[in-house]
Amino acid sequence: MIIAHLSDLHLDEGRRAEDRVAAVMAWLGGLARPIDAVVVTGDIADHGAASEYARAAELLKHPAPVLVCPGNHDVRAEFRTGLLGLPASDDPIDLAQEVGGVLFAMCDSTIPGRGAGFLADETLDWLDGVLSGGEGPAVVAFHHPPVEVGVPLVDGIRQSGEERLAAVLGRHPRVKALLAGHVHTGASTTFAGIPLRIAPGVVSQSLLPVEPGSERGWDEGGPLDYERPPALLLHVIHDDGRVTSHHRTVSC
Ligand SMILES: [Fe+2]
């Protein structure tokens, strides 16, 4: 099976972000054969406004299941009502869905009102429970990577408390890949011995410390590149559960 992995849309009701999301979704819609799912790892809205989620719900319409988790720019209550059609609640948004024999566990790594991430005890308990419910391959997704990735901008606000996540994952060898966003750069690493794939930003790309411009302060636009095209990952999940990830940019 093949799934698309998008992250960091930062929809703000402006044309720029909307055009980028629309271009990515149109590209997915034009593929030679249907993909099996679309995973969006957070920062779907830029300010967490209801109007932003209304646009997101329109733009993210796709024939295959669209699986989402919130990022630090998202707001739980508006995310639930505007994007998921669920009653408003400030509880963590943890969702599991099986697609084509693969379990996708979408975890809420946000701390309301903060940029950094943390999986609440109730989210980890939920994850342990859903992973205990079967034996087929599983993919676990969240917004904040639980390790440093060499991008200072986000390494300072990564997911902490990661030893608790590692303990849960250690009980479930069915987990074949971890998916995250937050970094605004396509990156591949490991956590707890499991492949961790980080999707590039749809809205912008982070500059690595070795790239010119990475020293820019926030009053100068920050260490982000808004000129590069929107990008995404396509993950091929092989029959043995191994995951191969392909990086694509989309004209916009
Ligand atoms: Fe973001």
Side-chain angles (χ1 to χ4, degrees), residues 37-39 65-70 79-80 84 86 92-108 123-134 137-142 174:
V38 179
V39 170
V66 178
L67 314 175
V68 296
C69 66
F79 191 104
R80 269 202 174 83
L84 302 175
L86 297 173
I93 300 170
D94 301 315
L95 302 163
Q97 184 169 339
E98 192 166 301
V99 180
V102 178
L103 176 73
F104 289 84
M106 308 296 297
C107 304
D108 188 337
T123 293
L124 285 171
D125 289 346
W126 168 86
L127 179 61
D128 204 17
V130 296
L131 291 174
S132 299
V139 172
V140 176
F142 33 66
R174 65 183 295 201

Side-chain angles (χ1 to χ4, degrees), residues 211-231:
E211 292 180 292
S214 63
E215 71 289 350
R216 281 200 300 261
W218 286 111
D219 55 340
E220 304 169 288
L224 293 164
D225 187 332
Y226 290 91
E227 301 302 320
R228 294 184 202 189

Side-chain angles (χ1 to χ4, degrees), residues 8 10 42-43 72-73 143 182 184 203:
D8 295 85
H10 288 268
D43 279 1
N72 50 296
H73 280 255
H143 182 66
H182 194 43
H184 292 223
V203 71

